[in-house]
Amino acid sequence: MSDFSVIGKRVPRIDSREKVMGEAKYAADYSMHGMLWAKTVRSPYVHAKILNIDTSKAEKHPGVKAVITAKDFGGWHWGFMPTTRDEHPLALDKVRYLHEAVAGIVAVDEETAEEACSLVKVDYEELPAVFDPEEAMLPGAPVIHDYRPNNMSVEYHWNFGDVDKAFDESYFVHEDRFATGKVIVGFLEPPASLAYYDPSGYITVWAAKQSPYFHYRHLADCFNLPLNKIRIIQPFIGGGFGGTKNDTVAGDMIAVMGSKKTGKPVKFIYSQEEVLTTCRRRHNMIVYSKMGVTKDGIIKGVYHKVIANGGAYTAISPLSMYLAGFITPLPYKLPNFKYDAYRVFTNNPVSAAMRGHGATHTRFACEIQMDMIAEKLGLDPLEMRMRNAIDNPKRGEAYTTVNGVILNTCGIKEALQIVADDDLWKNKKSIEKMDGAVSWGVGISGTSYPGGARQLGHQSCAAIVRVCEDGTVNYLTGATDCGQGSDTGLSMMVAETLGVRYEDIDIKRVDTAYTPVDAGSYGSRVAILAGQAGIHAALDAKKQLLEAAAKAWNVNADDIEIKDALCFLKSKPEQKMSFNKLAKIACYEGSGAVIIGRGYSSYGVEKLDFDKGTGNGSVSYSFTSQAVKLGVDMETGKINVADFLIAHDCGRPLHPITCESQNEGGAVQALGQAIYEEFVMEQGDTKNSSFLDYKMPRSTDVPRIRTVDIITDDPGGPFGAKEVSEGSHVSTPPAVVSAIHSATGIWFKEMPVTPEKIVKALKKEGKWPGGQ
Amino acid sequence: MSDFSVIGKRVPRIDSREKVMGEAKYAADYSMHGMLWAKTVRSPYVHAKILNIDTSKAEKHPGVKAVITAKDFGGWHWGFMPTTRDEHPLALDKVRYLHEAVAGIVAVDEETAEEACSLVKVDYEELPAVFDPEEAMLPGAPVIHDYRPNNMSVEYHWNFGDVDKAFDESYFVHEDRFATGKVIVGFLEPPASLAYYDPSGYITVWAAKQSPYFHYRHLADCFNLPLNKIRIIQPFIGGGFGGTKNDTVAGDMIAVMGSKKTGKPVKFIYSQEEVLTTCRRRHNMIVYSKMGVTKDGIIKGVYHKVIANGGAYTAISPLSMYLAGFITPLPYKLPNFKYDAYRVFTNNPVSAAMRGHGATHTRFACEIQMDMIAEKLGLDPLEMRMRNAIDNPKRGEAYTTVNGVILNTCGIKEALQIVADDDLWKNKKSIEKMDGAVSWGVGISGTSYPGGARQLGHQSCAAIVRVCEDGTVNYLTGATDCGQGSDTGLSMMVAETLGVRYEDIDIKRVDTAYTPVDAGSYGSRVAILAGQAGIHAALDAKKQLLEAAAKAWNVNADDIEIKDALCFLKSKPEQKMSFNKLAKIACYEGSGAVIIGRGYSSYGVEKLDFDKGTGNGSVSYSFTSQAVKLGVDMETGKINVADFLIAHDCGRPLHPITCESQNEGGAVQALGQAIYEEFVMEQGDTKNSSFLDYKMPRSTDVPRIRTVDIITDDPGGPFGAKEVSEGSHVSTPPAVVSAIHSATGIWFKEMPVTPEKIVKALKKEGKWPGGQ
């Protein structure tokens, strides 16, 4: 570690000053001369045929410049896979969820656009609707998409080993139903965009997108323009977390089409109400879980039947359902595994990706189930986990799971040991025995998460590292920092590789006209894939500099090193020059040179077999064990979350501050899902459509959090790094729910575990100390 | 020629639609939220000590946000060479010309800033001044800079061969005095800039600069910031032509300093009056020329003593004076040459570069002098030129001038022959004999101009050619199209090299944060140096594509070619695929790839020896012969310019439309210098400070222009190309003045040759047909 000059240091985040000072510009902050505003006309029905759209009154409204409907897009539709492109920018023939976008208004100002929305007259023929996925699976249920008459959006049947035999041979088989609630990422910056389709046929967009090159491809495809005529300029982004900002929303397309029709720039900003009622949400899933174990608690097999509430369109869900299955054989040895997945269309807003994509649901089921089994067998739940945990492979060796996932490093045992050795866990029993109105408990979990997604079509990415003649550096990447801090980590890696100071790196926001293509900011891939491209670009630039130094000193380039902004002879370190001087020599040497390093990520693409469930889709896998201490007010059911210990194998913390903040953020967001957040739905209508009613954790709800970084130095990772924060996001819900059991003695199998549910359960079990 | 798919084709200019439709945004079109405005306080004296500047009243003026004076810049000064950095952003200790900038006001709007200018109280102590360079050279003249007590800004004494001996041996030696007037480039877009010094220490500037990387270095140096924290974004530019937009003006520095002091973006736009009274002008020069010839008109030697009116500061003039000497041994064989150059400080606005930099003055003198000698010797002036003209070297051989200039190709004989064969020249005598109130004449000239300047410190430049997955291309260059059309030519060269269609290339404006460093847009270097970098980048990208095709077809990459957006097997052309398909294969092949071609210009730097006058400072040299037909109204002196024939060796016309428009533009601009334009100066005061009074040629003044491109296919040039438009700019004045002689029988040796001067001369010679 001490070998590193920059990696692992607590440098300030590269964007901290701009953000703290309020200088960072987000998409909504951009304006252009002559700019118009767009608003979206939304359906009042959950399921209805569109018979006619009459825009004439809206078009005549003073200040309205254009009205956009589905026919403007000529039937263009999109989605994650060619076979599931079932969504249109605006509803084409029918609406499938409440508030689905049916038209767009472009007007001189936001108020006028809003006013004119009510003037678009849409004739609907209402259709019967279905909201519950298990009901939607029944024969005779209303059909939401003609191409899937059984409402089955995604269906997988995987079989690894022989799970029936495993259950037959098990000492004990536990079977239960678990369920997760419908939650949303809750970013504070809503989708916004300023779009200009200039009459030369060139689209420029400032948009809050995690993966600008997705949007770039969508726009080129939809507007039938070449890719080099699409320019997405990346403003600062106020949180992504998957789903909405990784995809294209109706407003995006209304703005671009509106600009094309009017010849003016068009801007839109979604309201938080639009976000909470119409944007992508996490799937809520029902997990029927069956787990067979030996007398010693060794897991013999798992069978999961998962039913996911898909909402109205498919979106990215073929991957969601893959991930919900793929994660089950991690982090414990699992020789037999069967998975039946059903993602079902319903007349709800669309379900899609969110941090901890797919893994949250099934890991929650497995972990709680293991606790229940440990209790049944009289085993210490940590000891049971330790017995099943995958060993850290020896360097050069690897562990392969039953479904083909390859681990080069695995820190789960070390993580569990850190939790085992901590007073929090050691004092579990005494904590449980504490007297008072509040009953205390301690819970644990063990999880894993993939990092460095490389399973999609175009995974490569590149970086350009340009050394200025004064020795400072411009670093161009197509990878987006959507708030996670990746620009800091990427800059650190380039600084370390090149041998310059962190502050000498300037990294620019993505601009698709200038920056190299990149797959996007999802699947915890940026630090790993874009990081590797940056390292390769820095090495390439360094090579050019070393050659210049070798020429200047008349020595072999192999004998020269650059470190801490100093270039020196390895064999005679007193022969040295500053990096600035080296840059000047290199740039002005001979005919004058331009130092441009170019690098690519070299990880292969592993095409996932969605039908069989195989594929080693990520570069590496993180491991987490978490302990949680909390108290439950046995009268009111109120939960006081006191303490989180997160032991996380991140390979190596590139930037400890970011690792901490990401792990903390991931855990707190998941705490929301565990005990606070859930959309209240009535017949497809989201009743809690503001942050007053949809309760995310606030700062006062955040416990003490300790994070411990475990360094396994993964050979796949840049500087050994793996992912952070998705792991802690997945480990939190089971640990919290396990702690609630520890405090109350009751197993909760559905999230969120709210005070109401606790009181109800306590009453049912006769444990409620209150009146009546 | 037919071998090329794109080169030499009359494709539309890449920016024509945006410009014609009024969509192109220039620096003045940019705005930012909270933006302030800057205005410049200017000196009412031509030469005065600054005793005190009292800004207190201006600072208290409502709406004023900052007042900037020289002390804000801590003595920072700039100039072309380390030894001649004699200019400050704002006058430091004294003012040296009328309206020199002494302070800057930054206020909420332009009017308030303007108002507050009069509130800055400056105490001056007036000093004696000098305006004429020959007076300024005299002992006892007022001293303008302490570091040059003799007012000598630049002084060279070169000697090649033995010119005295040559004169002794000559049959005839002609000696005369020639003079050029003080003119300006007359761009219609004045300097403007929007600058933001954000509190994080990052400067972003939208500025009309020909060479943004010059400005970038100036700002880094002045504000003591690293280069990677300086971002110059290049808007469209409404003309450059050297001088002002290649340099930094007071407004630039006031805006950046104003932004630093206020934390707000600051914008300025110069008025045309400010441009015409304070911006860089062309030197006016006096050329004492002595030329010795044999009886047959063969030139034995030339001696030039040049006195240039330098104005108040040195700026780029060490190069100006170099060029005025360096060009004399071209395009005619000249074995003996002596040059004494004196560039003299005067209390006038600063003289600097302009199209045809340096060459205009001495080529004018030489050409007119050759005409005079031919007349004396009874030789046909074209025949005399042909006898002296340098031969086109055989392929692989070169001609070296007495001062070390190396010609690989030379089209002067071919150019002269085209003129000789044209009716315009053949009918000279009959044209001269035409009867009427207007007397007609025909004149000719022969000139040369360097192209592909590579004589400055950092001449290298790079390009990045990125192939998108749909086969369209993003081309990044640091070279500026300031209106000359270089983006079109560069795109054509990349399209030709890569084998794609011209319209598949998108070239982006310069943005120093993203585009590779480039020396700038001057010295006719862009098409040649940046062009070569682009070609190399395209070749690099092509190599990657060919490898992908070779893999896909399982053949050797050498057997594959790409042309006209088609990839095919050379040995079996029916095996082919579209470029789009090839790009998709290359980008999605294996792990997915990013196709980034990288290229550099590989021309060496030739350091000029300013003191000796040697150095082959350019890649190649264009040659031009021009014939002009005009009529002179013998009563009013009014000139009717009827016909231009420009035979120009441009190596190869990359884009014939641009070659024509550039040659036409260069010639028309020079026509202004020949007969229309001149600053009327009274004691350092520019009396004609608007385009109403300063007469540039208007569309009604433009003659018929025929341009003939001569293809010499220079081995140094990209696709054999050399420069265009500086050559025709230099060839026009002598041809016009020669034609005036042909029409009137009078030799004019000072430009401009105005109707007043003609009438006066006719009267003097007793040739005036009018009354009195």
Side-chain angles (χ1 to χ4, degrees):
Chain A
M1 259 59 28
S2 60
D3 272 3
F4 295 121
S5 299
V6 184
I7 294 296
K9 297 284 183 296
R10 304 181 73 83
V11 298
R13 264 179 70 138
I14 217 156
D15 53 357
S16 54
R17 196 188 185 286
E18 274 165 300
K19 287 189 171 169
V20 169
M21 299 298 284
E23 289 159 18
K25 281 180 86 178
Y26 294 81
D29 296 328
Y30 285 81
S31 294
M32 276 175 87
H33 185 74
M35 185 179 82
L36 304 172
W37 286 81
K39 282 283 172 187
T40 308
V41 178
R42 298 187 175 279
S43 162
Y45 296 104
V46 291
H47 199 194
K49 265 192 202 166
I50 296 171
L51 301 178
N52 187 47
I53 303 181
D54 177 2
T55 60
S56 57
K57 217 169 153 191
E59 275 161 7
K60 284 180 203 128
H61 190 66
V64 169
K65 298 297 180 187
V67 181
I68 322 288
T69 62
K71 70 174 191 296
D72 287 306
F73 296 99
W76 184 80
H77 47 113
W78 87 100
F80 179 68
M81 287 167 80
T83 51
T84 61
R85 289 192 186 132
D86 53 21
E87 199 167 7
H88 296 81
L90 295 169
L92 183 63
D93 51 352
K94 63 177 192 169
V95 292
R96 294 178 174 88
Y97 66 96
L98 190 67
H99 306 312
E100 182 169 358
V102 289
I105 304 284
V106 173
V108 290
D109 55 39
E110 213 173 353
E111 295 67 29
T112 307
E114 185 80 56
E115 265 167 42
C117 281
S118 60
L119 301 177
V120 174
K121 197 178 161 289
V122 186
D123 297 331
Y124 293 101
E125 180 190 322
E126 215 180 331
L127 296 169
V130 62
F131 308 102
D132 179 85
E134 291 183 290
E135 281 174 24
M137 288 170 80
L138 297 176
V143 175
I144 294 169
H145 288 276
D146 290 343
Y147 85 108
R148 292 284 159 88
N150 60 354
N151 288 327
M152 205 50 68
S153 163
V154 176
E155 188 175 345
Y156 298 143
H157 303 286
W158 302 348
N159 215 331
F160 300 104
D162 186 341
V163 81
D164 292 328
K165 187 161 167 269
F167 290 150
D168 286 345
E169 292 169 6
S170 290
Y171 168 75
F172 174 67
V173 176
H174 182 268
E175 196 165 355
D176 222 320
R177 178 187 186 276
F178 298 87
T180 57
K182 212 166 187 60
V183 299
I184 202 162
V185 297
F187 45 58
L188 291 184
E189 184 212 12
S193 169
L194 171 61
Y196 182 46
Y197 188 116
D198 89 40
S200 305
Y202 196 102
I203 297 177
T204 305
V205 175
W206 289 259
K209 296 290 170 195
Q210 293 178 220
S211 304
Y213 291 90
F214 282 175
H215 197 45
Y216 151 97
R217 293 185 185 108
H218 280 166
L219 291 179
D221 195 39
C222 178
F223 290 89
N224 197 24
L225 288 173
L227 287 168
N228 70 348
K229 303 287 186 223
I230 310 288
R231 182 176 182 188
I232 315 285
I233 301 172
Q234 198 67 99
F236 279 95
I237 298 180
F241 311 109
T244 302
K245 286 189 188 166
N246 216 12
D247 213 323
T248 290
V249 299
D252 289 316
M253 302 311 257
I254 292 168
V256 177
M257 185 58 81
S259 180
K260 184 180 180 186
K261 287 180 99 164
T262 61
K264 304 280 183 190
V266 178
K267 175 164 164 172
F268 80 88
I269 306 174
Y270 269 24
S271 67
Q272 279 291 5
E273 191 180 352
E274 279 180 298
V275 174
L276 294 175
T277 57
T278 73
C279 283
R280 305 303 200 212
R281 307 164 167 203
R282 167 166 276 172
H283 288 84
N284 54 328
M285 294 191 191
I286 302 157
V287 182
Y288 292 100
S289 182
K290 197 170 169 184
M291 186 182 278
V293 295
T294 66
K295 199 173 178 179
D296 300 326
I298 302 300
I299 302 166
K300 298 289 289 174
V302 168
Y303 169 57
H304 277 169
K305 177 181 170 186
V306 175
I307 296 167
N309 189 345
Y313 296 99
T314 298
I316 199 175
S317 67
L319 185 60
S320 315
M321 301 314 289
Y322 175 90
L323 290 168
F326 138 97
I327 199 69
T328 302
L330 288 172
Y332 309 113
K333 284 169 272 189
L334 179 63
N336 301 288
F337 170 49
K338 188 176 168 190
Y339 178 55
D340 290 317
Y342 304 92
R343 195 237 187 209
V344 190
F345 286 129
T346 60
N347 294 113
N348 289 301
V350 182
S351 300
M354 176 173 160
R355 199 183 218 171
H357 190 193
T360 292
H361 319 274
T362 44
R363 283 290 356 127
F364 169 67
C366 286
E367 289 292 307
I368 297 301
Q369 197 164 27
M370 282 172 79
D371 270 3
M372 294 165 95
I373 292 170
E375 187 184 50
K376 179 89 184 177
L377 300 180
L379 279 172
D380 176 281
L382 199 147
E383 173 57 25
M384 178 175 162
R385 284 174 171 80
M386 195 64 100
R387 287 181 189 175
N388 284 286
I390 296 169
D391 289 301
N392 191 13
K394 284 190 192 129
R395 179 80 13 170
E397 295 180 5
Y399 174 89
T400 304
T401 67
V402 71
N403 53 335
V405 170
I406 299 165
L407 310 181
N408 293 305
T409 58
C410 174
I412 186 65
K413 284 200 166 175
E414 195 173 342
L416 287 165
Q417 194 60 51
I418 286 164
V419 168
D421 293 343
D422 194 84
D423 283 345
L424 192 56
W425 182 250
K426 288 199 280 193
N427 298 334
K428 183 178 195 283
K429 292 220 156 51
S430 57
I431 289 169
E432 284 173 345
K433 280 177 195 149
M434 291 195 302
D435 275 340
V438 171
S439 181
W440 291 89
V442 177
I444 55 157
S445 67
T447 55
S448 174
Y449 201 77
R454 49 171 191 165
Q455 69 269 37
L456 301 183
H458 194 275
Q459 267 307 319
S460 190
C461 55
I464 290 172
V465 166
R466 222 178 72 203
V467 180
C468 301
E469 61 215 48
D470 68 350
T472 59
V473 177
N474 287 108
Y475 175 13
L476 272 59
T477 172
T480 297
D481 189 334
C482 47
Q484 80 271 43
S486 59
D487 280 354
T488 298
L490 293 178
S491 298
M492 291 174 79
M493 289 191 267
V494 163
E496 182 74 49
T497 306
L498 199 52
V500 299
R501 302 175 311 159
Y502 164 68
E503 51 270 37
D504 290 335
I505 309 288
D506 187 70
I507 188 167
K508 274 279 139 293
R509 303 294 301 166
V510 176
D511 181 332
T512 63
Y514 294 98
T515 47
V517 71
D518 184 273
S521 196
Y522 62 84
S524 280
R525 62 174 292 290
V526 173
I528 298 173
L529 280 85
Q532 198 204 36
I535 289 170
H536 288 167
L539 285 172
D540 185 29
K542 189 176 178 178
K543 188 166 171 282
Q544 298 166 45
L545 294 167
L546 290 178
E547 279 162 13
K551 206 166 165 187
W553 282 342
N554 196 23
V555 299
N556 196 312
D558 296 340
D559 191 26
I560 309 177
E561 185 50 293
I562 308 173
K563 201 172 162 64
D564 299 324
L566 216 61
C567 171
F568 57 91
L569 224 50
K570 287 189 224 168
S571 60
K572 193 175 125 191
E574 63 275 20
Q575 180 158 342
K576 62 191 172 191
M577 65 178 139
S578 70
F579 189 81
N580 309 36
K581 191 178 168 194
L582 171 60
K584 188 148 261 160
I585 287 174
C587 290
Y588 284 91
E589 195 266 326
S591 63
V594 184
I595 307 295
I596 298 177
R598 175 176 59 174
Y600 309 93
S601 85
S602 62
Y603 300 109
V605 166
E606 173 88 13
K607 289 221 171 100
L608 304 179
D609 188 326
F610 286 123
D611 290 323
K612 289 192 178 146
T614 51
N616 182 36
S618 289
V619 171
S620 56
Y621 302 84
S622 76
F623 296 90
T624 315
S625 179
Q626 181 166 352
V628 170
K629 175 185 166 188
L630 53 76
V632 177
D633 184 316
M634 297 295 275
E635 188 171 345
T636 63
K638 196 175 175 315
I639 304 166
N640 175 4
V641 185
D643 215 341
F644 277 4
L645 170 66
I646 300 167
H648 180 70
D649 164 19
C650 63
R652 176 185 315 286
L654 297 170
H655 184 226
I657 296 174
T658 297
C659 291
E660 288 159 16
S661 62
Q662 280 290 300
N663 274 329
E664 290 170 9
V668 172
Q669 192 176 38
L671 174 63
Q673 167 141 34
I675 62 173
Y676 296 121
E677 298 175 36
E678 186 170 39
F679 280 120
V680 178
M681 303 298 297
E682 281 180 16
Q683 300 287 304
D685 189 6
T686 306
K687 290 300 183 185
N688 48 347
S689 61
S690 88
F691 285 136
L692 284 174
D693 301 313
Y694 179 92
K695 189 184 169 349
M696 290 195 292
R698 288 182 300 186
S699 59
T700 51
D701 299 318
V702 174
R704 177 170 86 134
I705 306 180
R706 290 171 295 150
T707 60
V708 182
D709 294 318
I710 296 166
I711 298 173
T712 48
D713 193 20
D714 197 89
F719 297 100
K722 307 197 281 192
E723 77 83 28
V724 276
S725 108
E726 299 212 74
S728 68
H729 185 83
V730 176
S731 66
T732 298
V736 166
V737 175
S738 161
I740 293 172
H741 171 262
S742 161
T744 64
I746 297 174
W747 289 116
F748 289 90
K749 292 172 277 186
E750 291 189 15
M751 294 196 289
V753 184
T754 57
E756 294 73 19
K757 288 186 192 167
I758 290 174
V759 169
K760 197 174 156 194
L762 288 171
K763 281 181 180 172
K764 194 176 160 197
E765 304 269 326
K767 289 184 174 179
W768 190 54
Q772 289 237 45
Chain B
M1 256 59 27
S2 61
D3 272 3
F4 295 121
S5 301
V6 184
I7 293 297
K9 298 283 183 297
R10 304 181 73 84
V11 298
R13 264 180 69 139
I14 217 157
D15 53 358
S16 53
R17 197 187 186 288
E18 275 166 299
K19 286 188 172 170
V20 169
M21 299 298 285
E23 289 158 18
K25 280 180 85 178
Y26 295 81
D29 296 327
Y30 285 81
S31 294
M32 276 175 86
H33 186 73
M35 185 179 81
L36 303 173
W37 286 80
K39 282 283 170 187
T40 308
V41 179
R42 297 187 176 279
S43 163
Y45 296 104
V46 290
H47 199 194
K49 266 193 201 163
I50 296 170
L51 301 178
N52 187 47
I53 304 181
D54 178 2
T55 59
S56 58
K57 217 170 152 190
E59 276 160 6
K60 284 179 202 128
H61 190 68
V64 169
K65 299 296 179 187
V67 181
I68 322 288
T69 63
K71 68 174 194 295
D72 288 307
F73 296 99
W76 184 80
H77 47 113
W78 87 99
F80 179 69
M81 286 169 78
T83 51
T84 62
R85 290 193 184 131
D86 52 21
E87 200 167 7
H88 296 81
L90 295 169
L92 182 64
D93 51 351
K94 65 177 190 169
V95 292
R96 294 178 174 88
Y97 66 96
L98 190 68
H99 305 313
E100 183 170 357
V102 289
I105 304 284
V106 173
V108 290
D109 54 42
E110 213 173 355
E111 295 68 29
T112 307
E114 185 80 56
E115 265 167 40
C117 281
S118 61
L119 302 177
V120 174
K121 197 176 161 291
V122 186
D123 296 331
Y124 294 101
E125 180 190 320
E126 218 180 330
L127 297 168
V130 62
F131 309 103
D132 178 85
E134 290 182 290
E135 281 174 25
M137 287 170 81
L138 297 175
V143 174
I144 295 169
H145 288 274
D146 291 342
Y147 86 109
R148 292 285 159 87
N150 59 354
N151 289 327
M152 205 50 68
S153 163
V154 176
E155 188 175 344
Y156 298 144
H157 303 286
W158 302 349
N159 215 332
F160 301 104
D162 186 339
V163 82
D164 293 328
K165 186 161 168 271
F167 291 150
D168 285 345
E169 292 169 6
S170 289
Y171 168 76
F172 174 67
V173 176
H174 183 268
E175 196 165 356
D176 224 321
R177 178 188 187 275
F178 299 87
T180 57
K182 215 168 185 58
V183 298
I184 201 162
V185 297
F187 45 58
L188 291 184
E189 183 212 12
S193 169
L194 170 61
Y196 182 47
Y197 189 117
D198 89 41
S200 305
Y202 197 101
I203 297 176
T204 305
V205 176
W206 289 259
K209 296 290 171 197
Q210 292 177 221
S211 304
Y213 290 91
F214 282 175
H215 197 47
Y216 151 98
R217 293 186 184 108
H218 281 166
L219 292 178
D221 196 38
C222 178
F223 290 89
N224 197 24
L225 288 173
L227 287 168
N228 69 349
K229 303 284 188 225
I230 312 287
R231 182 177 183 186
I232 315 284
I233 301 172
Q234 198 68 100
F236 279 94
I237 298 180
F241 312 107
T244 302
K245 286 188 189 167
N246 216 12
D247 214 324
T248 291
V249 298
D252 288 317
M253 302 310 257
I254 293 168
V256 177
M257 185 58 81
S259 180
K260 185 180 179 186
K261 287 180 97 165
T262 61
K264 303 280 184 189
V266 179
K267 175 163 163 173
F268 79 88
I269 306 174
Y270 270 23
S271 67
Q272 278 291 5
E273 192 180 350
E274 278 179 299
V275 174
L276 294 175
T277 58
T278 73
C279 284
R280 307 300 201 216
R281 307 163 167 204
R282 166 165 278 172
H283 287 86
N284 54 328
M285 295 191 190
I286 302 158
V287 182
Y288 292 100
S289 182
K290 197 170 168 185
M291 187 182 278
V293 295
T294 66
K295 198 173 176 179
D296 300 325
I298 303 300
I299 302 165
K300 299 289 289 175
V302 168
Y303 168 57
H304 278 169
K305 177 182 171 186
V306 175
I307 295 167
N309 188 346
Y313 296 98
T314 298
I316 199 175
S317 67
L319 185 61
S320 315
M321 301 315 288
Y322 175 91
L323 291 168
F326 138 98
I327 198 68
T328 302
L330 290 172
Y332 309 113
K333 286 169 270 190
L334 179 63
N336 302 289
F337 170 49
K338 188 176 168 191
Y339 178 56
D340 291 319
Y342 305 91
R343 194 234 187 212
V344 191
F345 286 129
T346 60
N347 294 113
N348 289 301
V350 183
S351 301
M354 176 173 159
R355 199 184 219 170
H357 190 192
T360 293
H361 319 274
T362 45
R363 284 287 359 126
F364 169 67
C366 285
E367 289 293 307
I368 297 301
Q369 198 164 26
M370 283 172 79
D371 270 5
M372 295 165 97
I373 291 169
E375 187 184 49
K376 178 88 183 177
L377 300 180
L379 279 173
D380 177 281
L382 198 147
E383 173 56 25
M384 176 175 164
R385 283 173 171 82
M386 196 63 100
R387 288 181 189 177
N388 284 287
I390 296 168
D391 290 301
N392 191 14
K394 285 191 191 128
R395 178 82 11 172
E397 294 180 5
Y399 174 89
T400 303
T401 68
V402 71
N403 54 334
V405 170
I406 298 165
L407 309 181
N408 293 307
T409 58
C410 174
I412 186 63
K413 285 201 164 174
E414 195 173 342
L416 288 165
Q417 195 58 52
I418 286 165
V419 168
D421 294 343
D422 194 83
D423 284 346
L424 192 57
W425 183 250
K426 288 200 278 194
N427 298 336
K428 182 177 195 286
K429 291 219 158 51
S430 56
I431 289 167
E432 282 172 347
K433 281 178 195 149
M434 289 196 302
D435 276 342
V438 171
S439 181
W440 290 89
V442 177
I444 55 156
S445 67
T447 55
S448 175
Y449 201 77
R454 49 171 193 164
Q455 69 271 38
L456 301 183
H458 194 276
Q459 268 306 320
S460 191
C461 55
I464 290 172
V465 166
R466 221 178 73 203
V467 180
C468 301
E469 62 214 49
D470 67 351
T472 59
V473 176
N474 287 108
Y475 175 13
L476 273 58
T477 171
T480 297
D481 190 334
C482 47
Q484 79 273 43
S486 58
D487 279 354
T488 298
L490 293 178
S491 298
M492 291 174 79
M493 289 191 266
V494 163
E496 182 74 50
T497 307
L498 199 52
V500 299
R501 302 175 310 160
Y502 164 68
E503 52 270 36
D504 289 336
I505 309 288
D506 186 71
I507 188 167
K508 272 279 141 293
R509 304 292 304 164
V510 176
D511 181 332
T512 63
Y514 294 98
T515 48
V517 72
D518 183 273
S521 196
Y522 62 85
S524 280
R525 62 175 291 289
V526 173
I528 298 173
L529 279 85
Q532 198 203 36
I535 290 170
H536 288 168
L539 285 172
D540 186 28
K542 189 176 179 179
K543 188 166 171 281
Q544 298 167 46
L545 293 167
L546 290 178
E547 279 162 13
K551 208 166 164 187
W553 282 342
N554 197 24
V555 299
N556 197 311
D558 296 340
D559 191 26
I560 309 178
E561 185 51 290
I562 308 173
K563 202 172 163 63
D564 299 324
L566 215 61
C567 172
F568 57 91
L569 224 50
K570 287 188 225 168
S571 61
K572 193 174 126 194
E574 63 275 20
Q575 182 158 343
K576 61 192 173 191
M577 65 177 138
S578 70
F579 189 81
N580 309 35
K581 191 178 168 192
L582 171 59
K584 188 147 262 161
I585 287 175
C587 289
Y588 285 92
E589 195 266 325
S591 64
V594 184
I595 306 296
I596 299 177
R598 176 177 59 175
Y600 309 94
S601 85
S602 61
Y603 301 109
V605 165
E606 174 86 13
K607 288 218 172 103
L608 304 178
D609 189 325
F610 286 122
D611 291 324
K612 289 193 178 144
T614 51
N616 183 35
S618 289
V619 172
S620 56
Y621 302 84
S622 77
F623 296 91
T624 316
S625 179
Q626 181 167 353
V628 170
K629 176 184 166 189
L630 53 76
V632 177
D633 184 315
M634 297 295 276
E635 189 171 345
T636 62
K638 196 175 174 317
I639 303 166
N640 175 3
V641 185
D643 215 340
F644 278 4
L645 171 66
I646 301 167
H648 181 70
D649 164 19
C650 64
R652 176 183 317 282
L654 297 170
H655 184 226
I657 296 174
T658 298
C659 291
E660 288 159 16
S661 61
Q662 279 291 298
N663 275 329
E664 290 170 9
V668 171
Q669 193 176 39
L671 175 64
Q673 168 140 34
I675 63 173
Y676 296 121
E677 299 175 35
E678 187 170 38
F679 280 120
V680 178
M681 303 298 297
E682 281 180 17
Q683 301 288 302
D685 189 6
T686 306
K687 290 299 183 186
N688 48 348
S689 61
S690 87
F691 285 136
L692 284 174
D693 301 314
Y694 178 91
K695 189 183 167 353
M696 290 195 293
R698 289 182 299 187
S699 59
T700 51
D701 300 319
V702 174
R704 178 170 84 133
I705 306 181
R706 290 171 296 149
T707 59
V708 181
D709 294 318
I710 297 166
I711 299 173
T712 48
D713 192 20
D714 197 89
F719 297 100
K722 307 198 282 194
E723 78 82 28
V724 277
S725 108
E726 300 212 74
S728 68
H729 185 83
V730 176
S731 66
T732 298
V736 167
V737 176
S738 161
I740 293 172
H741 171 262
S742 159
T744 63
I746 297 174
W747 290 117
F748 289 90
K749 293 172 278 186
E750 291 189 15
M751 293 195 290
V753 184
T754 57
E756 294 72 19
K757 287 186 191 165
I758 289 174
V759 169
K760 198 175 155 192
L762 287 171
K763 282 182 181 170
K764 196 177 157 198
E765 304 268 328
K767 289 185 175 178
W768 190 54
Q772 290 235 44

